Amino acid sequence: MRLPVIVGMGGVNAAGRTSGFQSFRRMVIDVLPEAQRRQTLVGLAVMMGLVAAEADGRFRVVHGIENTDNTDLAEGTVLDASAVAAGFAEVVCAGTLVRRVAPEYFNVDALHWQSNASLSPADTSAGLQFAMPLAQVPEPLPEGWSLDLVGDKEALVTVVGSVNVKLDNQRDFPVKAAGQLPSGFAISELYNSRFQPRGLQMALFGATDALRSVGIEWKEILRHVNPDQVGVYSSSGFGQMDQSGYGGMQQSRMKGDRVTTKALVMGINSMPTDFINAYVLANVGIASSSVAACATFLSNLRIAVADIQAGKVRVAMVGNSEAPIVPELMDGFATMGALATDENMIRTYGDAAVDHRRASRPFGENCGFTMGEASQYFVLMDDALAVELGAPLLGSITDVFIDADGIKKSITAPGPGNHITMAKAAAAVVAVAGEEALRSKSFVLAHGSSTPQNRVTESQIFDQVAAAFEIEDWPVVAVKAYVGHTIAPASGDQLVVALGAFVHGILPGIPTIEAVADDVHQQRLLIGPEHVQRNPEDLEVAILNSKGFGGNNASAVVLSPARTQRMLERRYSAETMAAYYARREISEAAASAYFLAADRGDYAPIYRFGEGMIADEAIVIDKLRVTIDGLPGAIELPTDNPYADMS
């Protein structure tokens, strides 16, 4: 069976850029070596628009720090990397991870809404009278209304009874924390975004970042595969809900505005796939969009892994983009009681004031999850193609398991499905890597949503599986403590951390909690606020777990680069692997050069709008194949009968 190998990753979430492990490093910045800490702070300072890279390797201050007597940080000052890291560390850290919702999203203290009111006349004998433009008089005329014309353009309206109206109003929004992209990072300014929804801008950025992280030109990859052996597996969970997508379409008529021509199309939840196919990869292969609530990433990953294992595709772009920090979505979750409100946090934690930085508290005393936004994309290849091209080796995916919950009395309640997926994942680890790898060299990336129900049910599953497979002190990582719940790409956030842990030997703790809640099952688990540092060689397997609304349970097995490489060495000859290592050095050097350039702000999304469109006359079809002028290789048509024994 072909092994799906991870050769690139890219994207962005509240912790920063995905490629080069920037976002991972931000999560564990307090235990990083000084050089990596400085690199992380400087790269984020550039991303946040605080400084701009100069040609000589130094940085010019774009936004000086207010309320400081340090003139060395004034606007226009040129600094070296050490000075940037020292001077802007506090601002960078404050402007990343979960934090108070910024005004550019919406005003959580004075959110605009329309309140209902009923207007009645003070003198009921005269009726209610008011003037209005004739063009604004509703048709048909409401019951009880009568008109007297005042000139050609105005009417005097008399109403018998009352009039129900909606008044512009403001209210305090109960949820004030979210995992927002780094403050000041504006993707729309990096390319001609054409008023595209935020989620699609993020998809272009994430796919571009992932593609460049491979260190091999896309056209070179295409030379080694047929045009239909490429697949993009992507979606958003809710669609694009801001004003440029479904949000604007749904609100327009209620606000007295017109629906724009693009709102419906741009809002569709498969649009991230379509944008990547059309504007980043120019792909004519598989386009696949799966949606499975919080397990959406793993659902897309399962299909991609299966297609690679079956030989349907040889290279896949897998990921999701979600921009859900909009009042409508957050209002919906808050009404369900799913989000952590300021009032509930004060009541639960006993604090006089709310610490929005600690809004997401997986496996601790908690009162709801925290919304986040993210774009996470990964480039997968079958092992033969990765070896042939000399692609970087970040790890591999052996299995993705998905099971439903069966009968339940609440569609959002948990059930047995996640017990099944986790048990299957643990057994699959034993089958592929052995019992010792599972017992002493594996860790779990928990769904860890920060709700009271999740902390009990998910920890019980982990503890039960650990007992069945004789695991002691099984490390559990909860990424949502740092970036919030990003819905569709949530398990993409997990995968980024898993790959980062393999390289850096750091399992991020849960710094937002002081202690694990009393009702958490942890007899065989290792959960806590502190980071756990291990020798990277002792981290070989990660299990990603997701518990989605409606019974969308999923668990995936991820192998480390070292474990994956040993598997490749068993499959291929020493000569083949030696050639692979030589080619890999070149691609890794190219990838490293991109990471350095990206840290200096060179990461504009690929946006091939209208470039190289395929005309009908460029397509040639015969009985055996389809060839397209300008694309290497051919699309072979099926000729074998897979059901020959039944024909």
Side-chain angles (χ1 to χ4, degrees):
M1 181 181 289
R2 302 172 190 231
L3 177 65
V5 176
I6 306 169
V7 300
M9 67 176 187
V12 62
N13 61 17
R17 197 185 75 249
T18 300
S19 68
F21 299 107
Q22 184 190 76
S23 63
F24 175 83
R25 286 186 272 113
R26 170 61 187 94
M27 296 180 196
V28 296
I29 198 166
D30 50 323
V31 295
L32 287 179
E34 179 54 33
Q36 292 181 5
R37 179 180 180 275
R38 181 172 62 247
Q39 177 190 359
T40 305
L41 291 170
V42 173
L44 284 168
V46 172
M47 190 178 201
M48 296 166 67
L50 299 171
V51 299
E54 298 281 282
D56 62 359
R58 296 186 297 170
F59 301 86
R60 174 177 47 82
V61 176
V62 176
H63 294 292
I65 298 178
E66 298 180 359
N67 303 320
T68 179
D69 295 329
N70 189 346
T71 56
D72 290 340
L73 299 179
E75 182 178 335
T77 306
V78 177
L79 307 172
D80 63 16
S82 296
V84 171
F88 288 93
E90 185 175 346
V91 178
V92 166
C93 289
T96 49
L97 307 186
V98 170
R99 56 199 188 277
R100 200 174 199 272
V101 175
E104 52 263 34
Y105 290 85
F106 60 94
N107 189 341
V108 294
D109 297 320
L111 179 64
H112 175 265
W113 70 303
Q114 293 189 39
S115 58
N116 296 316
S118 180
L119 306 182
S120 301
D123 182 357
T124 56
S125 63
L128 179 65
Q129 289 189 325
F130 53 88
M132 66 185 301
L134 191 60
Q136 295 180 5
V137 173
E139 294 182 7
L141 202 65
E143 184 178 353
W145 283 39
S146 61
L147 301 181
D148 292 310
L149 297 181
V150 181
D152 296 333
K153 297 183 179 179
E154 194 171 36
L156 178 65
V157 181
T158 302
V159 179
V160 177
S162 61
V163 177
N164 294 324
V165 298
K166 294 185 181 296
L167 302 177
D168 281 349
N169 211 329
Q170 293 180 342
R171 66 185 176 97
D172 182 71
F173 196 68
V175 180
K176 293 182 169 60
Q180 303 140 93
L181 299 192
S183 298
F185 178 54
I187 300 176
S188 62
E189 297 177 4
L190 299 177
Y191 75 108
N192 186 6
S193 58
R194 302 171 184 266
F195 302 102
Q196 294 162 357
R198 182 175 178 83
L200 299 185
Q201 296 174 22
M202 291 163 55
L204 290 177
F205 180 89
T208 299
D209 192 39
L211 195 61
R212 290 173 174 159
S213 76
V214 179
I216 304 172
E217 291 291 332
W218 180 239
K219 61 183 179 181
E220 176 63 19
I221 295 174
L222 292 181
R223 287 184 56 249
H224 294 258
V225 299
N226 291 335
D228 62 334
Q229 292 178 320
V230 176
V232 174
Y233 305 79
S234 176
S235 64
S236 55
F238 291 112
Q240 286 55 251
M241 287 295 295
D242 59 18
Q243 286 297 310
S244 298
Y246 279 165
M249 181 185 71
Q250 294 169 351
Q251 295 172 14
S252 290
R253 293 200 180 276
M254 297 303 295
K255 294 168 64 175
D257 298 331
R258 295 181 61 186
V259 177
T260 67
T261 57
K262 296 181 180 179
L264 173 62
V265 176
M266 292 292 185
I268 297 172
N269 57 16
S270 62
M271 198 52 59
T273 307
D274 304 331
F275 260 53
I276 292 168
N277 279 327
Y279 301 134
V280 179
L281 301 181
N283 180 38
V284 298
I286 289 178
S288 178
S289 296
S290 176
V291 178
C294 313
T296 292
F297 174 80
L298 291 184
S299 182
N300 282 280
L301 182 64
R302 183 189 69 84
I303 300 170
V305 166
D307 281 355
I308 289 176
Q309 290 172 334
K312 292 182 179 179
V313 300
R314 303 201 64 194
V315 56
M317 176 79 76
V318 186
N320 305 97
S321 181
E322 196 87 82
I325 306 178
V326 294
E328 293 79 11
L329 284 177
M330 293 181 68
D331 214 357
F333 278 113
T335 302
M336 290 173 56
L339 296 185
T341 65
D342 280 19
E343 180 181 354
N344 285 340
M345 283 194 282
I346 290 174
R347 183 185 301 116
T348 302
Y349 310 135
D351 299 334
V354 175
D355 183 357
H356 294 111
R357 303 283 291 176
R358 299 178 61 206
S360 180
R361 306 189 185 195
F363 301 109
E365 291 294 336
N366 51 40
C367 59
F369 74 80
T370 301
M371 193 71 79
E373 60 180 350
S375 171
Q376 299 292 3
Y377 285 88
F378 301 83
V379 180
L380 274 59
M381 293 181 180
D382 68 48
D383 56 285
L385 181 62
V387 169
E388 180 183 359
L389 289 171
L393 186 60
L394 302 182
S396 58
I397 311 290
T398 61
D399 296 279
V400 182
F401 300 103
I402 294 178
D403 286 274
D405 284 333
I407 296 174
K408 54 207 306 187
K409 61 182 179 180
S410 169
I411 197 64
T412 60
N418 198 208
H419 292 76
I420 301 170
T421 64
M422 278 298 299
K424 286 180 177 179
V429 172
V430 173
V432 174
E435 291 186 359
E436 181 61 24
L438 177 65
R439 289 176 183 168
S440 63
K441 296 185 178 183
S442 73
F443 57 100
V444 177
L445 281 299
H447 184 65
S449 63
S450 187
T451 64
Q453 186 177 56
N454 170 265
R455 74 185 186 221
V456 176
T457 58
E458 190 173 23
S459 63
Q460 187 278 325
I461 293 168
F462 294 163
D463 217 43
Q464 185 177 2
V465 171
F469 287 87
E470 300 176 352
I471 305 170
E472 300 287 346
D473 296 328
W474 208 8
V476 176
V477 178
V479 181
K480 292 177 179 66
Y482 298 90
V483 299
H485 192 342
T486 58
I487 312 299
S491 287
D493 295 329
Q494 295 174 335
L495 183 52
V496 171
V497 170
L499 301 182
F502 290 145
V503 172
H504 292 274
I506 304 171
L507 299 176
I510 310 175
T512 55
I513 67 173
E514 296 171 354
V516 177
D518 293 339
D519 54 4
V520 170
H521 298 258
Q522 53 174 329
Q523 182 177 351
R524 292 175 174 269
L525 307 181
L526 182 61
I527 310 175
E530 301 297 329
H531 304 313
V532 175
Q533 299 193 56
R534 298 274 180 87
N535 187 324
E537 295 179 358
D538 293 329
L539 297 175
E540 290 192 352
V541 180
I543 297 178
L544 315 182
N545 192 54
S546 182
K547 294 170 68 67
F549 279 167
N552 291 283
N553 306 286
S555 303
V557 177
V558 185
L559 300 184
S560 71
R563 166 64 72 166
T564 303
Q565 182 164 300
R566 292 202 297 273
M567 293 173 66
L568 295 179
E569 288 171 345
R570 293 189 183 99
R571 173 166 285 183
Y572 298 97
S573 68
E575 293 78 12
T576 298
M577 291 303 294
Y580 164 63
Y581 296 144
R583 288 189 293 268
R584 192 174 74 184
E585 287 184 5
I586 298 172
S587 62
E588 288 176 339
S592 296
Y594 165 65
F595 302 151
L596 292 175
D599 279 344
R600 297 176 63 81
D602 187 6
Y603 42 48
I606 297 170
Y607 185 56
R608 302 171 61 181
F609 180 78
E611 295 180 14
M613 294 186 293
I614 299 170
D616 291 346
E617 54 269 22
I619 305 171
V620 178
I621 302 176
D622 61 35
K623 293 181 179 180
L624 298 178
R625 62 188 57 83
V626 177
T627 57
I628 301 174
D629 187 30
L631 295 183
I635 299 170
E636 302 297 330
L637 301 180
T639 55
D640 295 332
N641 179 8
Y643 310 105
D645 61 327
M646 302 170 64
S647 301

